[in-house]
Amino acid sequence: MLTKDFYFDLPEELIAQHPSGVRGEDKLMVLSRNGGNQTEITEPKHFSMDDLPDLIPENTLMIFNNSKVRRSRCYGKTVDTGRESEFLMLTPYPDGTWKAMVKNAKKSKPGKVFVFSDGSKGTIVENPVDVGTEFRTLSFDCPITEEWFEKNGHIPLPPYIRREDTEEDSERYQNVYAKEVGSSACPTAGLHFTEKMLEKLKAKNIEIAYVTLHVGLGTFLPVRAEKIEDHKMHKESYYISEETAEKVNRAKKEGRPVLAVGTTSVRTLESAWQGGSVLEGGYLSSGHFDTSIFIYPGYSFKCVDKMFTNFHTPESTLMMLVSAFAGKANIMNAYQKAVENRYRFFSYGDAMLLT
C-alpha cells in the first residue's frame, strides 16, 4: 500500500490556526465505520459538539489520554556566534542527557554549546543514533526539571500552525483533564471536551476512564517511505492503571462499547490488548510499557469499538489509522464532505465520531 494513497486536497484556509472562540464550540461529523470495510461508503452526518451526549449509547466506556503537554520547544543561542537554534526536547536518557529534534541539525555538531533563556547551557554530545538524522543529544550543566521547561520552554504548536505560541495556547493547547506531564504534542481530540461536557456524559451513565500515552515522534513524525509497510514508528511510553484495565475488561465481557477519545488512546488500548477476542480469553493488561504499534488498513481491532478524533493531515499515520478503523474509501469520502462543508482541520479544528 502506498503513502500517496492517503493524500487528499485541503485548502490552506481550512487549517485551523487558532482554537475556536469558546472551548467545545466545534462542528462534529458522525460516520458509521461499517466494521472497517475498506470499500463500502456511508454518508456522514453533521452535528455540533453539544449533540455528543445524545449520540453515544448509555453504558459506553470512554477512554481519554490524560497526558499533559510539556513546554518542550526551546530556543538556545550558540556561545560562539549568538545564533539562535530551535530544539524540540523529546525524552531524557538514563544518564540525564536529552534527545531533541533540532532545526538545521547538520550545523549542530558535537561540542557545540548553547545558552538558554535562564542562562543554563546545553552541549551537543556524540551519540551514534543521531548520525544522519534530525536528532541530537544534549548534555546540560543543570538538572532539567519541569521548572526548567516553564522558564525556558514554549508550547510546541505543530508546524502547520504558522505563528508563535501565545498565552492563549498555554490554556487551549492542553486538555482540561490533562494530568501526567510528558507529551511533545497535545492529544488534540480531547481539546473539544469541557468540564461541563464530561459531567453531561457521566449524567447519561457513560463511564469514563483514563490512560496515559506521552505523545512523541511515533504519533507525529511524517511518513517518508513510499510504501507504508516500510515506515518505522518511534517508541512512545504509555501507562494503564489496574482500575482502567478492570473497567475495560468488564465492559468487553458485558458487551458494552469501548469508545477511545483520540488516536493515542486507540494505540494505547490496542497495544496493551493481550490475545484474541474477549470470547477467546483476550484482555487488557495494566502497567508501564512502550509501543511502536503502526495501525493501517488490514489491522484487526481487538479492543476499540468506537472512536472520537480530529481531522488529520494527508499521508499521515493517523490518516492510515482511521482508514483502518472505518474504511479507506469511507474516510476519503467523509474528508471530501468535510472540505465541502468547511470543517476546520487538524489540532485546533473540528471533530469526528466514528461509530
Side-chain angles (χ1 to χ4, degrees), residues 203-306:
K204 266 208 66 177
N205 200 30
I206 293 168
E207 193 175 16
I208 288 174
Y210 298 93
V211 297
T212 304
L213 181 139
H214 293 311
V215 183
L217 295 172
T219 297
F220 63 78
L221 199 66
V223 178
R224 298 190 176 103
E226 182 180 355
K227 295 181 179 179
I228 67 173
E229 295 87 351
D230 295 334
H231 176 70
K232 302 299 181 186
M233 298 285 281
H234 287 253
K235 285 184 180 179
E236 294 168 306
S237 63
Y238 72 87
Y239 169 70
I240 298 177
S241 67
E242 289 186 7
E243 179 185 8
T244 292
E246 288 172 2
K247 286 183 177 181
V248 171
N249 289 326
R250 188 184 314 120
K252 297 301 287 186
K253 287 177 181 177
E254 294 173 354
R256 295 188 286 120
V258 174
L259 193 165
V261 176
T263 56
T264 58
S265 296
V266 173
R267 294 178 65 238
T268 300
L269 294 171
E270 292 297 318
S271 295
W273 188 264
Q274 306 297 313
S277 70
V278 67
L279 295 175
E280 299 167 327
Y283 67 96
L284 190 75
S285 60
S286 61
H288 291 270
F289 303 98
D290 290 331
T291 183
S292 55
I293 190 171
F294 181 19
I295 297 175
Y296 54 87
Y299 178 85
S300 177
F301 288 84
K302 302 172 184 68
C303 183
V304 178
D305 304 299
K306 300 175 186 291

Side-chain angles (χ1 to χ4, degrees), residues 77-126:
K77 294 182 178 180
T78 57
V79 169
D80 51 355
T81 67
R83 181 174 295 172
E84 189 174 72
S85 289
E86 179 182 324
F87 300 85
L88 182 63
M89 307 297 290
L90 295 170
T91 52
Y93 288 112
D95 62 1
T97 59
W98 275 77
K99 179 178 183 176
M101 182 182 285
V102 187
K103 276 196 174 180
N104 300 317
K106 290 181 180 179
K107 297 180 180 179
S108 297
K109 300 185 183 301
K112 203 164 192 176
V113 181
F114 296 86
V115 180
F116 293 85
S117 58
D118 69 342
S120 60
K121 293 180 180 179
T123 304
I124 305 292
V125 296
E126 194 166 354

